[in-house]
Structures are given as C-alpha cells and as structure tokens.
Amino acid sequence: MNWRKSLTFKFVAGFVIIISPLILFLYYNNLYAISVVREQVSGANRNLLADYVKQVDKQMKEINNYLNLVNDREPDVNLLNFMEYGTDDYMLTKQKIFTRFQVDLGYFQVIDTIFLYNIKDKDIVLNTRSDYYLNEKVIADYIEQHPKDDEMQKIGSWQLIKVGDETAFLKLIRNNNLVVGCWIKANTVAEPLKFLDAENGGGGAALVSMEGEVASVTKLTEQQIALAAKVPEQQDKPYQSVTDYTKELSYLLVAIPATMVPIKYVVLIPEASMLKNLPFFRLAIYIIPLGGLLILSFYFIFVRKVLLTPMKKLIRGMQRITRGDWDVQLEQDNTTEFAFVIRTFNNMVGEISNLKIDVYEQQLLTKEAEFKHLQVQIKPHFYLNSLNIITSLAATKQYDIIQKMARYLAEYFRFNISTSRRTVTIEAELKHIQNYLEIQKLRFPGKLTYEISLPEELAHCSMLPLTIQTLVENSIIHGFMNRRELFTIKIEVRESQVVKEGIKEKTVWVQVADNGVGFKPEILDKLQMNRWHEHSGENGHLGLHNVLLRLQMRYGDRAQLLFRNQADKGAVVQIGIPAIYLEDEAEENDDISDYGR
C-alpha cells in the first residue's frame, strides 16, 4: 500500500501545514498585542474614573454631615417646628434659614438646591441655582407623596428624581413636620467626565442608573447605553469587551458603581480609536481574517477533492439503494481507502440485490400465511349456544322466533364463509354485526339493545372483515355481567383529517362503546401501553391481539387501536384506519363488496 496516497496522510498533513502557521501568527502578533493595549488603556481610564468617583462620594458624605448638622443643631430649624405659620417670628426665622442656605450654597459648589419644607403648613424655604418655581413644585410633589414617618425614613439615603428634563440626586432628612434636604444635578457631577469622551463621537462617559436609564448628558447613543447597562457590578477584569452588532463596533467598557447613590459611572472606549496609534496591529486585524479566509478556501478545495467528493459519491450510491435502485456501480477513486470501499460496495450491491429478491418473495409468502392464520382464528363463540336456543324454541313451538334466528344465522354464516378476500366495506361489516347482535337479542330478550351510526359518505370505505365483531364480542363477554340491567352497545363511525408535511390524511374511526363494567384498571393500563404479550392469551383477549396484528399487517403505523373507560360506566374501544374506498383497491370485483348494500 502506498501510504502517501492514504486519506489519513493527506488529511493530517494538509491540516498541519495550513493551520499551524495561522495559529502561531494570530497568537504572537495579534491577540497578545491587543490584550496588552486593552489592559493599559482600560487600567488608565479605570484609575481616573475611580479617583473621581471617590471624590464625588466624599463630597456627598460631607453634604450628609452638613444636612444632619442643620437638622440636629441649627436652632432656627428647631424653633420653626414650634412657631405658628405666618407670624412675624416665623417669617423672620424663615429669612434667617434662607440666608444660611444661600451662604452654604456658595460653599458647596456641587449642590444645585437646598431647601426646608414644612409638611404641616406646606411651606418651603428654598435656595437654588436653577428655576425656583420648578424646583419648588418638584419638592412639594415628592414630599407629599411620602407623608408618613416610616416612608420618609426609607428615603433618608440619596435617591434619583426627575427635575424637569434632568436627573438629580436627592437627600432628605425629617425633623417632626420639617424636612431638610438638597439635590445635586447629575449633569453637574458628569461635567468633569467630558475629558473621557472619545473623538468623532465613537465613545464617551455617562452616569447610568441601576435600571439601565441614562442619568446625565452624554455623547453615547441609546445602543451604547444599553450595552453599558448590561455590565454586572462585580467584574473579574478592569474592563469588559462589548460589541454593538448594529454597527459592528467593539468597545472596552469600564464601569464603577457609586456608594452613595444608586448609579454607576461608565466609560465606553472604541477599540478602533484605542489602536489608532498602532498601525501595524490595526492592519493585522483586517489582514488576518482575510488571509485566514483565503487559506481556508484553498484548504476547503483540497479537502473537498480528497475527501468530500468521493464521500458524496458513495452517499449518492447508498441513497439510490434506499430508493430501491439496485443497478448501482460507482466509479473507482485514486485514493487507496476509497478505492477499496467503492470496490467492496459494488460487489456487495450485486450480492444483496440477488439476496433481497429471494428474501422478499419468502416474506410475502410468510405474511400471507400468517394473515390467513390470524383471520381463521377469529371464530364466533356462540354457535353451540344458538343451536341450543333453536332446540329450546322448537320444544316450546315458538316458530316465529325460530324463523328470525334461522334467518340471522344464515346471513351470519354467509358473511363468514364469504370473507376470503382481505377487505370489505364498512357497510357490509356493520350489516354482519347487526345480524350478530340480533341473534344476541334473541338469546337475551329484553336485556340487550344496540345503536349503529354510519354516515352515508363512509359506507363504502374498506376495512378488514370480522374486525368490529371481535370488539362487539368482547363487549358482550366482558361487559355484560349484570344481567338485571339493560345492556347497550353503541357503534359509531366517523372521519377525521390531519395535515402532515403539507399532505392531507384522512382517518376513519370506528368506536364500540357499552354501558357495562368497563376495563379493570390493571388491564386497561396494559392495553393502553401496548403490553399485549402479558394479556393476549387470557380472558378472551386473543381476539384483540389478532385484530391489532391484522391492522398492522394491512396498514402499518397508520393503524391505531385505543382503549378507555367512560366517565360514568362502560368501556370504549376505537379503531383508526386510513380512509380507503373499496373501488380504489385491486379486489373491488369481489362479491363481498356488495354484501348488505
């Protein structure tokens, strides 16, 4: 054997020669360099952002201490709690507080508004850098929505509120009927972060709430803000790589949560601008995928010629065999392994073709013999009983009943003798069942009745003979236990339709129901789970087993035999078979097709 022509050598050698240089180049010249740049750029931006966040948190802690000091130790605030609204002392104290707030607002440059709100009198002392009347309304509405002490305690931490079109950080502290507080505009906090905005609008910084809503003016787009909102608070790396798939842009995302307010500071850095001063690596980012695609294209052509084409040729040959075409001979291949496989395949096809013909003919003979054997097993169980009844009636000279019994038995025997063909019409089968049930009514006068429902359009559908009789016999043998009550058997034929893979399939359902004792639970479980082997040889269930086998031989998987108990009492057995009309079958000229019409 020439090992250089083997499929294993060609496949392994080609893979190693093509993939190894590409992997080494990607590893040493692209991934490592970009990883280093990412670490450095993200680390620098994270340190700057972390320092600024600490500075803002420190200022907010100082403001917290200031508000607590005003609330606890400012005498004018404490006095205002006990003064009557509108008095001269009240107005003078209110003016002192306003002057104090004006001085404090100049000290805390980050604060936009300081206020004191009287819940009882709905009065406010307000000093602000922005719209006075808008701020007054926002404060009154917000506090009036939280009038109770417990609710006011819950908002003792910094909260996010809307002031017009802007977002602000609100701090409230309650002292009896007075609420002292302030807010800081998010845009004021975000203003120093503008130096982190990337050129040409490719990235930038923003303040984002924990719900993913932007809280400050930013250059980031809605899609970029949505990417920033998905970043978890705990990160293993100082940055996270995210991608905007709508624009096919990649970013480094740095996010730091604040400790005093439920927001996080985020910075989005475009990778394109990050690598703009590294022309070699920028060029490598574009060349490597193109070069890899070109190399892989040549490799695919190579593998296709060496492996895929011979394999497809072998698969097409197998597909032709599955369709029944045994005249398949594949062309030889120059690869050692495929040459051996194709040569063996051609030899096996010839041998299997001859063997399959012999086996198929033998199977047909076996199936036909088995089918006839099962059909022969289906014998009525009441021959002797019927003859005994005729004898008893003759002794009592009930000749009219004897005539009916003889006529029904004649029709019954005529059908049994005529079932040499494989199928009959449903109408003929039900006529035969009617003769059988009339005989049973004569055996049990006043104790048994029946109903048969057959739509006219289904009368000439075909089915296996003596199928329904087996179900009716079982119903009488196993269900007709209480002879004191009227036993009723209902036979109903209907049609259903389903669509499978765009093709409509019709199914004819024959249902035999009675008001007897029904199936025992353990027997019903076995029948519903198709555990026939545990029950086919006892208590008369051999007939049901034969029915199922005959249906499967005739219709395959399309035949169904279902069992259940009725809600009140009684058993129900259903047979489902394909809707096939007798004139569509090859044996339509059999005399049994006209029986009972």
Side-chain angles (χ1 to χ4, degrees):
M1 177 184 293
N2 189 349
W3 61 274
R4 292 186 179 181
K5 291 185 177 181
S6 68
L7 180 63
T8 303
F9 174 81
K10 292 179 180 179
F11 189 82
V12 174
F15 183 84
V16 172
I17 292 173
I18 294 175
I19 298 299
S20 296
L22 180 62
I23 294 176
L24 293 175
F25 186 76
L26 287 172
Y27 181 79
Y28 288 107
N29 294 281
N30 189 32
L31 298 179
Y32 176 75
I34 293 178
S35 177
V36 171
V37 174
R38 284 175 175 171
E39 293 284 350
Q40 293 178 348
V41 173
S42 62
N45 282 274
R46 185 176 182 86
N47 291 336
L48 291 174
L49 186 61
D51 291 341
Y52 181 69
V53 172
K54 290 180 180 178
Q55 181 181 350
V56 174
D57 287 343
K58 181 179 179 181
Q59 292 179 357
M60 297 182 77
K61 288 180 181 179
E62 292 178 356
I63 295 172
N64 282 351
N65 295 334
Y66 160 73
L67 292 177
N68 287 322
L69 183 63
V70 170
N71 179 63
D72 296 335
R73 300 184 182 181
E74 179 62 38
D76 292 329
V77 172
N78 292 324
L79 288 175
L80 205 64
N81 254 323
F82 306 100
M83 292 182 178
E84 184 178 354
Y85 173 74
T87 62
D88 292 341
D89 291 338
Y90 181 91
M91 299 304 296
L92 181 62
T93 304
K94 181 177 176 181
Q95 182 61 39
K96 290 181 181 180
I97 295 173
F98 177 83
T99 304
R100 169 67 186 272
F101 284 171
Q102 189 172 20
V103 174
D104 295 338
L105 197 63
Y107 176 77
F108 295 102
Q109 295 295 323
V110 71
I111 295 179
D112 178 80
T113 301
I114 305 177
F115 60 89
L116 177 67
Y117 186 80
N118 187 335
I119 298 177
K120 178 181 178 182
D121 300 317
K122 297 184 179 179
D123 189 28
I124 190 170
V125 181
L126 174 68
N127 206 309
T128 180
R129 303 180 193 272
S130 53
D131 189 336
Y132 180 92
Y133 296 103
L134 173 62
N135 295 348
E136 181 181 21
K137 184 178 185 306
V138 170
I139 294 168
D141 292 343
Y142 191 86
I143 294 179
E144 289 300 327
Q145 293 175 3
H146 305 81
K148 297 181 180 180
D149 291 346
D150 55 345
E151 293 184 358
M152 195 62 67
Q153 291 298 329
K154 292 180 182 177
I155 58 174
S157 59
W158 289 88
Q159 306 291 321
L160 293 180
I161 65 168
K162 279 289 185 180
V163 182
D165 296 331
E166 299 183 67
T167 301
F169 309 152
L170 174 67
K171 173 72 175 185
L172 297 176
I173 298 177
R174 178 166 179 164
N175 183 359
N176 293 330
N177 291 323
L178 301 178
V179 178
V180 62
C182 70
W183 71 55
I184 303 170
K185 287 189 174 182
N187 289 336
T188 303
V189 176
E191 183 69 21
L193 298 178
K194 287 186 176 180
F195 75 94
L196 294 174
D197 290 343
E199 298 178 1
N200 301 323
L207 274 63
V208 180
S209 69
M210 296 306 177
E211 290 75 21
E213 298 180 358
V214 63
S216 64
V217 176
T218 179
K219 290 185 177 181
L220 299 180
T221 64
E222 292 183 2
Q223 181 65 23
Q224 291 171 336
I225 294 172
L227 293 174
K230 296 179 180 179
V231 178
E233 295 185 9
Q234 301 296 331
Q235 303 180 43
D236 298 333
K237 295 182 179 181
Y239 68 91
Q240 184 170 356
S241 295
V242 295
T243 302
D244 182 359
Y245 293 102
T246 60
K247 298 182 179 179
E248 298 297 330
L249 296 176
S250 297
Y251 303 90
L252 292 184
L253 182 60
V254 178
I256 297 180
T259 58
M260 303 298 295
V261 65
I263 63 166
K264 55 185 174 182
Y265 300 75
V266 298
V267 177
L268 206 63
I269 308 166
E271 289 194 355
S273 63
M274 178 184 66
L275 300 175
K276 67 181 180 180
N277 295 324
L278 300 173
F280 171 76
F281 295 108
R282 292 189 65 196
L283 184 62
I285 291 174
Y286 297 104
I287 290 179
I288 289 174
L290 294 177
L293 182 61
L294 182 62
I295 293 173
L296 289 176
S297 299
F298 283 110
Y299 181 67
F300 177 76
I301 294 173
F302 170 78
V303 173
R304 183 175 181 272
K305 181 179 179 181
V306 174
L307 178 63
L308 300 182
T309 300
M311 186 67 70
K312 287 183 179 179
K313 182 168 59 177
L314 187 60
I315 292 174
R316 283 195 296 268
M318 293 180 178
Q319 289 175 341
R320 290 177 60 185
I321 291 177
T322 59
R323 293 194 296 266
D325 183 6
W326 294 94
D327 298 329
V328 180
Q329 290 295 314
L330 302 181
E331 297 180 1
Q332 292 294 329
D333 192 84
N334 58 1
T335 302
T336 303
E337 289 85 353
F338 276 111
F340 174 76
V341 171
I342 291 174
R343 185 170 58 253
T344 305
F345 175 83
N346 291 336
N347 294 335
M348 291 177 62
V349 168
E351 295 176 1
I352 293 175
S353 179
N354 296 329
L355 181 61
K356 183 177 178 61
I357 295 174
D358 297 337
V359 172
Y360 181 72
E361 293 177 351
Q362 186 64 34
Q363 286 180 344
L364 287 179
L365 295 175
T366 304
K367 285 289 185 181
E368 186 66 24
E370 184 177 354
F371 182 85
K372 291 184 177 181
H373 174 71
L374 290 174
Q375 184 163 314
V376 168
Q377 288 183 338
I378 303 176
K379 298 287 186 179
H381 300 289
F382 66 103
Y383 291 163
L384 296 179
N385 290 332
S386 299
L387 294 176
N388 290 333
I389 291 176
I390 292 176
T391 303
S392 300
L393 292 173
T396 58
K397 298 181 181 182
Q398 301 183 42
Y399 301 119
D400 55 340
I401 299 179
I402 293 175
Q403 289 177 351
K404 291 182 181 179
M405 176 71 79
R407 185 174 68 254
Y408 291 141
L409 281 175
E411 293 293 330
Y412 182 86
F413 290 136
R414 180 177 180 273
F415 185 89
N416 283 355
I417 296 172
S418 303
T419 52
S420 59
R421 60 165 293 160
R422 305 193 71 176
T423 58
V424 296
T425 62
I426 295 180
E427 184 180 21
E429 177 75 3
L430 290 179
K431 179 62 177 177
H432 173 66
I433 296 303
Q434 186 176 359
N435 291 327
Y436 172 80
L437 289 172
E438 287 294 338
I439 295 172
Q440 294 290 5
K441 287 179 64 176
L442 293 176
R443 290 183 59 195
F444 306 104
K447 300 297 183 181
L448 185 145
T449 185
Y450 65 91
E451 299 176 13
I452 297 178
S453 174
L454 174 63
E456 184 177 353
E457 63 272 13
L458 300 179
H460 300 297
C461 284
S462 69
M463 69 179 304
L464 298 179
L466 305 180
T467 301
I468 303 178
Q469 177 184 329
T470 304
L471 307 185
V472 174
E473 284 182 348
N474 275 357
S475 182
I476 294 176
I477 294 172
H478 300 286
F480 193 14
M481 296 296 184
N482 188 358
R483 302 298 171 89
R484 297 179 181 179
E485 297 181 0
L486 180 64
F487 185 69
T488 303
I489 296 177
K490 295 182 180 180
I491 304 174
E492 180 184 359
V493 182
R494 59 182 177 83
E495 184 183 54
S496 66
Q497 181 174 286
V498 296
V499 179
K500 292 183 179 180
E501 300 180 354
I503 301 175
K504 294 182 179 179
E505 295 185 0
K506 295 182 179 180
T507 301
V508 174
W509 290 94
V510 180
Q511 175 177 293
V512 177
D514 61 57
N515 62 344
V517 298
F519 293 106
K520 294 181 180 180
E522 63 273 12
I523 296 178
L524 182 61
D525 290 341
K526 294 178 181 179
L527 294 176
Q528 290 178 340
M529 291 187 293
N530 293 330
R531 292 161 58 184
W532 295 93
H533 61 281
E534 301 179 13
H535 218 66
S536 60
E538 55 182 271
N539 298 331
H541 289 86
L542 175 62
L544 291 177
H545 183 55
N546 287 347
V547 168
L548 180 62
L549 290 180
R550 294 174 64 217
L551 291 174
Q552 290 177 342
M553 287 183 184
R554 179 64 177 173
Y555 305 108
D557 295 338
R558 295 183 297 172
Q560 302 180 62
L561 188 57
L562 308 178
F563 306 88
R564 63 180 173 88
N565 283 329
Q566 299 194 76
D568 47 1
K569 65 177 181 177
V572 178
V573 183
Q574 292 178 307
I575 295 176
I577 58 175
I580 302 174
Y581 289 86
L582 198 64
E583 55 266 23
D584 297 333
E585 298 181 342
E587 300 178 12
E588 63 177 316
N589 294 323
D590 197 296
D591 61 347
I592 212 66
S593 63
D594 295 325
Y595 179 81
R597 294 187 182 178

